[in-house]
Amino acid sequence: MRNAIRRLAALPLVLCLHLATGCDKGPEQLREAEADYKALVDRGVPPRNPEWDAVIAAFEAVPRDSKARPEAEARLAAIRTLRGTLPPRPLATPGATGPGTDAADVKRAACEALAKKLGETREDAAREPLKQALQQCRADLIKYEAHAHPEGEEGTAHVGEPDAPSDAGNPR
């Protein structure tokens, strides 16, 4: 009789433990969301594609009190970061002037100065010529960089192509 009472007393405890661990549907939901996530990644679907909305909803469906929620939050944060806006491309990169600088550095400095002036100009009429000048400066910079060679390396790789423009202050 005592054994029966002990077993009956232990039954609610066993049921509570069994039900408490079986009630967390989070890990199962997380596995399903992860499978959808992996399928989109494997197919190369960009993060801004509407197909990701279902994956986001699946990660958000993981209960807040689930032990799988932190991992779901981490995935959500990563997806939201990739869906965010990209920082703007810089108008120019810093250049250098003075003795010993090559043509590409001098042109880079000229592009930087144009970009700064464009950023300071507010009137649209004055901005348009600066935009065009900056575009031309970038195109020239690409040509200079294509013809730039490290010290000691001969520039014969571009045989038959025009030399780098001579108006950039190349001291060589």
Side-chain angles (χ1 to χ4, degrees), residues 128-144:
E128 195 55 39
L130 287 173
K131 283 182 184 178
Q132 291 175 358
L134 183 58
Q135 287 175 343
Q136 183 60 47
C137 186
R138 286 180 180 161
D140 292 344
L141 179 60
I142 289 170
K143 291 177 188 173
Y144 287 121

Side-chain angles (χ1 to χ4, degrees), residues 48-142:
R48 292 188 180 171
N49 190 305
E51 290 183 54
W52 282 95
D53 294 341
V55 174
I56 290 171
F59 281 121
E60 288 175 342
V62 174
R64 297 223 180 265
D65 59 345
S66 171
K67 63 182 178 182
R69 185 62 186 200
E71 193 171 339
E73 288 288 341
R75 284 285 190 213
L76 283 168
I79 294 170
R80 288 184 178 131
T81 299
L82 291 172
R83 288 185 123 193
T85 57
L86 296 174
R89 183 173 169 240
L91 292 175
T93 54
T97 57
T101 57
D102 65 353
D105 279 337
V106 173
K107 185 51 94 171
R108 201 172 290 116
C111 293
E112 178 186 13
L114 279 170
K116 284 180 181 178
K117 191 170 184 180
L118 178 64
E120 295 168 354
T121 305
R122 300 287 176 232
E123 302 84 36
D124 286 338
R127 288 178 61 85
E128 195 55 39
L130 287 173
K131 283 182 184 178
Q132 291 175 358
L134 183 58
Q135 287 175 343
Q136 183 60 47
C137 186
R138 286 180 180 161
D140 292 344
L141 179 60
I142 289 170

